[in-house]
Amino acid sequence: MNTQQMKAIIVQNPGGPEELALSTLPIPTCKEGEILVRVLAAGINRPDIMQRKGLYPPPEGANPLLGLEIAGEVVSAPSASIFKPGDHVCALTNGGGYAEYCAVPEQQCLPWPKDFTVHEAAALSETFFTVWTNLFEIGKLTAGETVLIHGGSGGIGTAAIQLASNFGATVYTTVGSKEKGELCKRLGAKDYINYTNEDFVERIHELTNKQGVHIILDIMAAAYFNQNINVLSEDGRLVIISFQGGIKANDVNLAKIVTKRLTVSGSTLRPRSNEFKGHIAKELYHHVWPLLSSRKISPLIHQIFPLSEVRKAHEIMEAGHHSGKMILDLSNL
């Protein structure tokens, strides 16, 4: 171990994937309550894309480097920590995952599920923290309800489909191709809507006998807002987690929100406190980790890239041709 320097990916200037560059930086110093992790693999997520473009600045005090989820080996930990040097952990970081070493608040770390590979462990934290927070904490999904998950073949979507179906919900999803739709059905979706040639409002009404769905997990925001309102059932809940379709919805009929008693909410995880993220970690360990360890659910990995090919990985994610997670491998640095 080099006790002074590490390799890390930096963003030279806000912009495209070509702005990502390999650099040498000081190994981070842990603050109180943090664990130093030697990163063996890191997940790539859409917030990384947005931050690289300069559209999603890190919160004050957060690590400015890209990378919100990692898997690796504990290098050092507080004396009272449940984790010890040599332990394998996966973690929701506050930034800094695209690097050889990352300092992470202890409460945001979890052990790898049983028999998981490093790449599978790296595909968990940002995705499952996000899904649990929005579907179960905010959306209050319960068994017997119906949920529509937009973008079902992505990292968030594939995790949400598996979790919702395993907890007893009926799942529908929107996708961009038949192949992605069939993948979603194998993961637990009852049916899918191909948004390239189908109207998801009409299809959901057909699939639900015009009853609509109880919950929508939405990544599109403005572009789908009116349609989402139309397909929600009475007392339905719309949870917005991304703005891939813009932030300003036009010609919104607010009366439907009132007459159908709808709840419209949203969240972003990164600015939340370490304590809140620690609460979600405990919920995941109790409710989700047993499902992962028994392989009732598994992260879907699209492709693994060496750190040197981070630009290519970002290009593929932006093109939207992937299904599931994309992972950076740092184990050979």
Side-chain angles (χ1 to χ4, degrees):
M1 170 183 170
N2 183 331
T3 57
Q4 301 297 322
Q5 301 289 312
M6 67 176 184
K7 294 179 181 177
I9 298 297
I10 63 169
V11 180
Q12 300 172 106
N13 296 289
E18 70 278 0
E19 295 294 342
L20 299 172
L22 187 63
S23 183
T24 301
L25 299 174
I27 291 176
T29 301
C30 289
K31 302 173 185 175
E32 183 178 356
E34 289 187 333
I35 289 172
L36 183 64
V37 179
R38 180 193 170 217
V39 180
L40 300 175
I44 300 172
N45 294 283
R46 195 156 291 277
D48 302 339
I49 306 293
M50 302 303 291
Q51 183 177 334
R52 189 204 71 220
K53 293 179 176 180
L55 302 175
Y56 189 51
E60 184 178 352
N63 190 320
L65 298 179
L66 301 183
L68 298 175
E69 62 183 349
I70 60 171
E73 183 178 288
V74 175
V75 175
S76 64
S79 58
S81 172
I82 63 171
F83 298 109
K84 305 301 178 188
D87 286 350
H88 285 162
V89 296
C90 51
L92 179 72
T93 80
N94 294 338
Y98 289 17
E100 282 188 273
Y101 295 91
C102 187
V104 187
E106 177 184 2
Q107 61 264 55
Q108 294 170 210
C109 298
L110 287 163
W112 296 2
K114 182 181 177 182
D115 297 328
F116 262 47
T117 68
V118 62
H119 303 118
E120 290 174 318
L124 296 176
S125 297
E126 168 70 9
T127 300
F128 281 89
F129 273 72
T130 297
V131 172
W132 189 267
T133 299
N134 289 285
L135 266 189
F136 295 90
E137 296 274 319
I138 296 174
K140 302 189 183 305
L141 178 67
T142 59
E145 291 192 310
T146 304
V147 58
L148 172 62
I149 296 166
H150 287 305
S153 65
I156 294 291
T158 53
I161 289 168
Q162 292 183 80
L163 278 180
S165 60
N166 269 274
F167 280 90
T170 299
V171 180
Y172 299 109
T173 186
T174 57
V175 293
S177 70
K178 178 180 178 181
E179 291 74 21
K180 290 183 175 182
E182 294 300 324
L183 166 66
C184 291
K185 289 181 72 172
R186 291 195 296 272
L187 293 175
K190 184 174 182 180
D191 213 335
Y192 64 89
I193 300 98
N194 185 339
Y195 60 76
T196 66
N197 56 26
E198 296 180 289
D199 184 321
F200 78 81
V201 176
E202 293 180 2
R203 286 289 291 133
I204 288 295
H205 284 153
E206 292 173 5
L207 293 165
T208 63
N209 195 26
K210 297 184 180 181
Q211 295 302 302
V213 295
H214 298 100
I215 302 176
I216 299 174
L217 186 65
D218 180 44
I219 60 172
M220 296 303 294
Y224 279 6
F225 190 83
N226 286 312
Q227 295 97 312
N228 284 335
I229 296 301
N230 286 333
V231 301
L232 280 170
S233 66
E234 292 188 347
D235 299 302
R237 289 92 77 194
L238 169 62
V239 185
I240 300 169
I241 62 171
S242 183
F243 301 99
Q244 294 180 36
I247 62 173
K248 294 183 179 180
N250 297 319
D251 301 320
V252 176
N253 185 348
L254 297 177
K256 289 186 178 181
I257 297 176
V258 175
T259 57
K260 294 168 73 173
R261 302 181 302 278
L262 304 180
T263 300
V264 178
S265 60
S267 76
T268 182
L269 186 58
R270 192 172 187 187
R272 301 297 295 268
S273 68
N274 297 344
E275 290 71 26
F276 176 83
K277 295 171 186 175
H279 161 72
I280 299 300
K282 291 178 181 178
E283 290 288 298
L284 289 173
Y285 189 70
H286 180 71
H287 296 289
V288 178
W289 253 233
L291 295 174
L292 292 164
S293 293
S294 65
R295 293 290 178 173
K296 290 184 178 179
I297 62 175
S298 297
L300 181 69
I301 296 177
H302 178 79
Q303 195 169 348
I304 300 166
F305 302 83
L307 189 64
S308 59
E309 295 184 14
V310 63
R311 292 180 179 179
K312 180 180 178 182
H314 272 229
E315 289 169 358
I316 292 174
M317 172 166 275
E318 284 193 83
H321 300 317
H322 63 293
S323 296
K325 297 287 295 189
M326 298 204 294
I327 304 296
L328 292 175
D329 185 289
L330 294 86
S331 62
N332 294 319
L333 295 180

